[in-house]
């Protein structure tokens, strides 16, 4: 089997390329060569997806049985459409990594794989869906762009040859966003450690290696479809995550749980200052029944935590990314909230 990975040099793209090599597949990766390093054993084609000449040169390296697209996170739908059209004659199927943000109801409502998507035409430019100044409603810009990109792939390849993967939060070795690494480093410092909400709150992160395995399975499938790539509802909890961080880091941290309303009162930025904490009703209520039936298997979150700690302390270096700096609460803010709790 011949596979093309758009991206392929870091985190999910690299995990997919490595997995395909282990399967004995012939793997090409296409990227700009600016971040990370492609695995040994792949054919690397350097180029920019927004440059027609580079896309034409890439197509000349085909054909491929499948394309897996992991590098369009900030790409306008019309650019995804242009690339898909060029690759369609030389590719059997297209696996596009999207996001649960593409749903109109995320994060305020429970979701299934049949939930309504946001508007977003396949030929939209990068400005489509931008919010007007002073807007105080839902921020749907990113989701509209991703929904448009999904439609772009389907427009080029047709529904039967298009697979859409919609992960929520992806964690694991190689993580560049900094969510799990921040919690691990905080736990290793010890002392009283602020924990958000209640320990039994369900969360649904998925390991990068499990998304990669499912992407490969779908690359070799015979039909298209759209799948939510998240852990089963109710299996993992915030308490389980943070307890695992304390255990594997070897620190003596004592978890101190703060109610949501107190955190909101202190202006704690949801999703970033205390990573993965968010009060919206639907953020961790995403069904993945179809994906599980199609073969998605999610390893225990404690295993992801342990392997990420081992990666960080075994010389692993995340790709430099601006989102890393967004995560984590300042020590003085944490101390103020702990004081308010009487700790």
């Amino acid at each position: 089997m011949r596979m093309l990975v758009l991206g392929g040099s870091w985190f999910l793209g690299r995990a997919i390329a490595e997995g395909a090599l282990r399967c004995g597949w012939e793997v090409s990766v296409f990227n700009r060569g600016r971040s990370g390093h492609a695995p040994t054993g792949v054919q690397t084609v350097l180029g920019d997806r927004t440059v027609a000449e580079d896309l034409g040169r890439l197509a000349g390296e085909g054909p491929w049985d499948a394309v897996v697209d992991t590098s369009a996170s900030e790409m306008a739908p019309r650019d995804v459409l242009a690339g898909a059209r060029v690759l369609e004659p030389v590719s059997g199927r297209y696996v596009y990594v999207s996001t649960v943000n593409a749903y109109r109801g995320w994060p305020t409502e429970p979701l299934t794989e049949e939930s309504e998507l946001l508007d977003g035409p396949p030929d939209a430019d990068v400005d489509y869906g931008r919010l007007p100044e002073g807007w105080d409603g839902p921020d749907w810009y990113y989701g509209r762009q991703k929904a448009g990109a999904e439609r772009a792939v389907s427009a080029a390849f047709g529904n039967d040859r298009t697979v859409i993967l919609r992960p929520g939060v992806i964690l694991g070795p190689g993580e560049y966003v900094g969510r799990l690494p921040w919690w691990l480093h905080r736990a290793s410092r010890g002392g009283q450690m602020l924990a958000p909400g209640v320990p039994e709150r369900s969360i649904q992160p998925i390991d990068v290696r499990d998304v990669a395995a499912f992407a490969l399975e779908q690359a070799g499938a015979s039909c298209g479809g759209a799948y939510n790539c998240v852990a089963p509802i109710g299996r993992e909890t915030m308490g389980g995550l943070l307890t695992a961080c304390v255990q594997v880091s070897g620190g003596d941290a004592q978890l101190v749980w703060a109610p949501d309303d107190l955190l909101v009162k202190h202006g704690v930025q949801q999703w970033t200052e205390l990573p993965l904490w968010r009060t919206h009703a639907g953020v961790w209520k995403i069904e993945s029944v179809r994906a599980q039936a199609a073969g998605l298997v999610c390893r225990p979150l404690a295993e992801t935590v342990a392997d990420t700690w081992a990666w960080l302390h075994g010389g692993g270096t995340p790709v430099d990314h601006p989102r890393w700096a967004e995560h984590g609460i300042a020590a003085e803010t944490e101390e103020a909230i702990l004081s308010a709790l009487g700790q």
Side-chain angles (χ1 to χ4, degrees):
M1 177 146 172
R2 299 193 76 222
M3 171 181 286
L4 170 64
V5 181
L6 301 180
S9 62
W10 47 294
F11 203 39
L12 178 58
R14 184 182 178 91
I16 290 171
E18 290 174 338
L21 289 172
R22 288 194 295 270
C23 291
W25 298 356
E26 184 178 341
V27 183
S28 301
V29 301
F30 179 69
N31 54 59
R32 295 176 296 179
R34 298 179 183 176
S35 302
H37 302 282
T40 301
V42 306
Q43 176 199 21
T44 298
V45 183
L46 296 179
D48 189 325
R49 292 181 58 177
T50 65
V51 177
E53 292 79 5
D54 290 355
L55 286 172
R57 180 166 47 82
L58 173 64
E61 300 291 338
W64 296 280
D65 298 291
V67 176
V68 182
D69 187 352
T70 68
S71 67
S73 62
E74 298 180 3
M75 184 170 291
R78 70 178 182 184
D79 292 325
V80 176
L81 178 62
R85 283 173 170 168
V86 171
L87 293 174
E88 187 276 329
V90 294
S91 307
R93 58 200 289 102
Y94 199 116
V95 180
Y96 177 69
V97 180
S98 184
T99 170
V100 295
N101 294 64
Y103 289 115
R104 180 174 294 278
W106 193 86
T108 58
E109 304 171 4
L111 298 172
T112 73
E113 285 149 325
E114 304 295 336
S115 295
E116 179 186 4
L117 294 178
L118 287 163
D119 60 300
D123 59 351
D125 64 18
V126 72
D127 291 320
Y128 183 85
R130 288 199 187 278
L131 304 174
E133 187 174 349
W135 174 261
D136 61 357
D139 186 354
W140 283 337
Y141 169 71
Y142 178 63
R144 283 170 164 165
Q145 290 279 308
K146 296 297 282 187
E150 291 185 15
R151 295 183 178 104
V153 175
S154 295
F157 275 75
N159 292 335
D160 290 342
R161 296 165 60 203
T162 298
V163 176
I164 305 295
L165 306 184
R166 299 185 184 120
V169 172
I170 304 177
L171 303 177
E175 186 197 334
Y176 63 93
V177 175
R179 296 181 175 110
L180 181 51
W182 186 85
W183 279 118
L184 282 163
H185 289 311
R186 173 61 190 89
S188 71
R189 294 200 304 270
Q192 292 183 326
M193 175 174 155
L194 185 64
V198 292
E200 60 270 21
R201 173 172 280 152
S202 173
I203 59 175
Q204 295 179 270
I206 187 170
D207 192 289
V208 61
R209 296 163 293 184
D210 296 333
V211 181
F214 188 62
L216 292 175
E217 191 166 331
Q218 292 306 306
S222 59
C223 60
Y227 305 95
N228 292 338
C229 294
V230 295
I233 294 174
R235 196 189 75 177
E236 309 290 353
T237 65
M238 183 65 79
L241 169 69
L242 299 190
T243 298
C245 288
V246 173
Q247 291 173 343
V248 304
S249 67
D252 63 351
Q254 303 96 47
L255 299 177
V256 179
W257 293 90
D260 292 338
D261 57 356
L262 180 63
L263 297 175
V264 172
K265 179 181 177 180
H266 279 261
V268 177
Q269 186 67 40
Q270 298 193 37
W271 210 234
T272 53
E273 282 195 274
L274 291 173
L276 306 182
W277 169 65
R278 200 163 187 170
T279 60
H280 300 79
V283 65
W284 297 121
K285 292 183 180 178
I286 305 165
E287 292 284 0
S288 56
V289 175
R290 184 188 298 162
Q292 293 175 52
L296 176 66
V297 177
C298 299
R299 71 193 66 202
L301 185 54
E303 181 179 332
T304 302
V305 172
D307 290 349
T308 302
W309 180 252
W311 168 72
L312 288 168
H313 286 262
T317 303
V319 169
D320 187 30
H321 197 279
R323 293 182 68 185
W324 187 278
E326 298 175 357
H327 292 86
I329 193 168
E332 57 270 24
T333 304
E334 181 180 20
E335 291 172 5
I337 297 172
L338 289 171
S339 295
L341 289 165
Q343 302 296 321

